[in-house]
Amino acid sequence: MRGAWAGLAAAAALGLALAVLVWRRRPRPVREVLFFPSQPICTEALLAEAAAPGAGSRPRPCPCPLPRGDCALGRLLRRLLSARRSLELCLFAFSSPPLARAVQLLHRRGVRVRLVTDAQSMAMKGSQIGLLRHAGIQVRHDQESGYMHHKFAIVDGRMLLTGSLNWTTQAIQSNRENVLVLEDEEYVKAFLDEFERIWEEFDPRNYSFFSKDSK
Amino acid sequence: MRGAWAGLAAAAALGLALAVLVWRRRPRPVREVLFFPSQPICTEALLAEAAAPGAGSRPRPCPCPLPRGDCALGRLLRRLLSARRSLELCLFAFSSPPLARAVQLLHRRGVRVRLVTDAQSMAMKGSQIGLLRHAGIQVRHDQESGYMHHKFAIVDGRMLLTGSLNWTTQAIQSNRENVLVLEDEEYVKAFLDEFERIWEEFDPRNYSFFSKDSK
């Protein structure tokens, strides 16, 4: 009987050790905050590496005078470029050229990109929305008097990027802004549900461009 | 010896049961997402209850025709009004009367309120910043060409409220917006550090209102 107790205790200890090992090896969910303004950097190497993975050992030399290196914009780009299957974008304003290039690159790589934006904002000078549409990316927008003021992205249905940052050069380089990065099932689900609600509601077949009272 | 093993096993089981009990009784950290627009509601009862806790059984009747009830604005107000010690506010735009009343109420209740805002936005029509300053609340602002575009609040150094929502009636009632509510030490610390950095940097003693080149 004493042997049986000892065996039980040993089995329990082994199980516990295995559980700790598995828990420790599981990659920790991403939890990050990016604060802006971000210094201007050259994003060529980052985008070239994403366009042709593996060729990173021979990066194309870029003649621009901007520094390379880590910064909030670079980290935001890296998170986006990690997408393999899907990217949902819900953005009030989108005029940043490197972010637009990253989104086009993902689209070309076969990632399913869907973009919701604000009708008034997308008509502004410098907006990248026309260019993204021209590249074949699905875009939908509001037709309301209020703004579609969200600024979030969902990568592969698993990572949420959300905050105060509009995707504009002014916001990135000059404003005080934040972006939270969360790999968190509960928050991702809440934002994905919101995205799907808006996506259906902004279906072009529902566009009327009339006030509710007109017939 | 058999008795000793049995005793050990019983003690382990008791310890485990106690741990589970303690873990289950610990209040779950707040994790919430508020989506806007929020329907217009009457916030009188909520603010009156916060002004005179305990008198809730006899709420003051309010003659306005707005409905009572739960909504995103009501939940945002409740989270704010839970402050007992401190409230840090970092807001691009602040023109919502019920949110301004809540902040004044907390200030009167002895909560240490500090507010950072954007110089251009606070000069706009409807801004509540002058009123809050008049009530004795500490306010600091940028003097930069870029915007102080954050929209976050930290309650008692333990709860972060952050998102796309400017504290304006238009944003609350008409825009698509989000506010994350997190009781999460890591994220709260990151935003509190950002707040303290900006608070120091925007110290009025550093205001120059001259360009960097002028002497």
Side-chain angles (χ1 to χ4, degrees), chain A residues 18-30:
Chain A
L18 271 173
V20 167
L21 205 69
V22 167
W23 179 75
R24 285 180 65 102
R25 285 181 72 92
R26 199 177 53 176
R28 194 176 175 250
V30 173

Side-chain angles (χ1 to χ4, degrees), chain A residues 3 38 41 60 62 64-65 75 83 98-99 117 128-129 158 170 181 199:
Chain A
S38 177
I41 55 154
R60 278 191 307 179
C62 176
C64 84
R75 285 195 280 160
L99 286 167
T117 190
Q128 299 282 317
I129 299 295
R158 72 176 159 80
Q170 142 96 22
V181 188
W199 186 253

Side-chain angles (χ1 to χ4, degrees), chain B residues 9-215:
Chain B
L14 191 70
L16 195 67
L18 272 173
V20 168
L21 205 71
V22 167
W23 179 75
R24 283 180 65 104
R25 285 182 72 92
R26 198 176 53 175
R28 194 176 174 249
V30 173
R31 295 163 56 83
E32 192 176 21
V33 189
L34 309 177
F35 289 113
F36 295 80
S38 178
Q39 63 172 132
I41 54 155
C42 175
T43 54
E44 279 307 318
L46 200 61
L47 291 164
E49 165 64 22
S57 51
R58 286 176 290 111
R60 276 192 305 179
C62 175
C64 85
L66 292 173
R68 282 84 184 141
D70 199 31
C71 67
L73 173 60
R75 287 196 278 162
L76 177 59
L77 275 168
R78 266 189 208 99
R79 294 296 181 202
L80 287 172
L81 291 169
S82 74
R84 292 292 172 267
R85 294 187 311 279
S86 60
L87 179 66
E88 282 80 28
L89 297 170
C90 208
L91 296 167
F92 172 63
F94 193 165
S95 63
S96 159
L99 285 167
R101 277 181 60 196
V103 170
Q104 280 178 278
L105 199 153
L106 291 170
H107 171 66
R108 279 201 301 272
R109 221 160 67 181
V111 172
R112 179 200 189 202
V113 180
R114 291 183 293 165
L115 197 161
V116 165
T117 191
D118 181 84
Q120 280 158 281
S121 162
M122 77 177 181
M124 291 175 80
K125 198 182 158 192
S127 171
Q128 299 282 318
I129 299 296
L131 192 135
L132 295 169
R133 273 189 157 148
H134 191 73
I137 290 168
Q138 300 179 74
V139 176
R140 295 185 179 182
H141 59 79
D142 65 341
Q143 54 167 349
E144 297 155 352
S145 56
Y147 292 125
M148 203 311 294
H149 201 242
H150 287 303
K151 309 114 179 21
F152 69 82
I154 302 165
V155 173
D156 287 342
R158 74 176 157 82
M159 191 195 294
L160 171 66
L161 298 96
T162 186
S164 66
L165 185 88
N166 289 309
W167 287 16
T168 68
T169 305
Q170 142 96 20
I172 292 165
Q173 291 183 9
S174 307
N175 292 359
R176 311 281 172 142
E177 305 272 7
N178 66 77
V179 174
L180 268 86
V181 188
L182 306 109
E183 250 181 356
D184 181 301
E185 214 172 309
E186 207 174 319
Y187 285 117
V188 167
K189 186 182 180 315
F191 278 80
L192 204 48
D193 289 350
E194 173 75 353
F195 181 89
E196 296 294 355
R197 260 194 305 273
I198 296 180
W199 186 254
E200 286 313 310
E201 206 177 316
F202 292 0
D203 188 322
R205 284 170 295 193
N206 300 332
Y207 291 170
S208 66
F209 293 100
F210 294 108
S211 75
K212 280 178 184 166
D213 297 330
S214 60
K215 299 197 178 163

Side-chain angles (χ1 to χ4, degrees), chain A residues 97-114:
Chain A
L99 286 167
R101 279 181 60 196
V103 171
Q104 281 180 277
L105 198 153
L106 291 171
H107 171 67
R108 280 201 300 274
R109 223 162 63 182
V111 171
R112 182 199 187 200
V113 179
R114 291 184 294 166

